[in-house]
Structure formats: C-alpha cells, structure tokens
Amino acid sequence: MGKLTTHVLDTANGVPAAGVKISLYRIDDDGLKPLLSTSTNQDGRTQKPLLENDAFRSGQYQLVFSTAAYFRHRNTPVDPIPFLDEIVIRFGISDHNQHFHVPLLVSPYSYSTYRGS
C-alpha cells in the first residue's frame, strides 16, 4: 500500500523546520474537504504518514504549510505583511499504491518542492 509523507526544511536557517503547522485537504467536486491538521517534529517531519492504507486514495490533494508563523516563532525577520504566509501545494495522486513524498524547502522569500519517494 502507498502512503503520503512530507517534511519541511528551513533554508534561511539551515535546519529542519520544527513546529510548522500543516493542513491536508482532499479536493473533490464540492471543493476542499479537510482531512487533517498536524505539525512537524524536531526533524521537520510529521510523526506518521499524512495518509496511508485505506485513507490513501487516488485524487487531488492540497497541503497548506503555515510558514510565516514558523519564521516569526524562530525570530527570523518577516515583513509585517509576509511575502509568503501560507504556502499552498496542490497535487494529484494517480497511483495510490506508491509512496508520495512532498517536501518543502522554505525561507521567508522563496520555496521549492518536488515529488520525492
């Protein structure tokens, strides 16, 4: 069975991003369906996969990372109106039997992501 995982790396400070709030949604014909809300641990990862087993299905999903709050908590300078507040990543899962890993590399002014495994 497949699963969905993530991790967050703070590229401004060169550390795993601990304490980033993450919300996961499934996108269907009726809009966004909230699935879970969690935070990253000291390693910048979640304690367990975001989705796995029967909960992990093919379809469209959205991850929301609350990065401005994280940087403020770390006392990393962030503008009063942050350039990046919440980072939204929408992605699709075609084969729910695979492991999908969606990492986020982030600073207050840039981010990147990719499909890992």
Side-chain angles (χ1 to χ4, degrees):
M1 292 295 263
K3 62 184 174 181
L4 174 63
T5 58
T6 189
H7 77 274
V8 183
L9 299 175
D10 173 347
T11 59
N13 296 292
V15 296
V20 175
K21 180 184 172 194
I22 301 170
S23 298
L24 175 65
Y25 301 86
R26 182 170 172 84
I27 304 167
D28 60 24
D29 294 338
D30 296 325
L32 296 177
K33 176 185 174 189
L35 297 180
L36 66 86
S37 183
T38 188
S39 295
T40 55
N41 61 20
Q42 291 302 110
D43 204 24
R45 299 177 184 275
T46 57
Q47 288 300 110
K48 60 182 185 174
L50 299 172
L51 293 173
E52 62 184 334
N53 302 322
D54 292 340
F56 188 56
R57 303 179 316 190
S58 298
Q60 294 288 319
Y61 292 89
Q62 177 173 295
L63 280 167
V64 180
F65 298 87
S66 298
T67 57
Y70 160 79
F71 284 116
R72 284 188 183 111
H73 182 75
R74 277 198 54 92
N75 295 317
T76 301
V78 176
D79 291 335
I81 300 173
F83 181 69
L84 297 172
D85 186 3
E86 292 185 329
I87 295 174
V88 176
I89 301 172
R90 287 188 168 201
F91 58 96
I93 304 290
S94 293
D95 183 355
H96 66 274
N97 292 308
Q98 296 182 16
H99 177 188
F100 282 77
H101 185 67
V102 182
L104 178 68
L105 289 72
V106 66
S107 81
Y109 298 99
S110 69
Y111 71 92
S112 67
T113 189
Y114 56 92
R115 184 198 163 188
S117 60

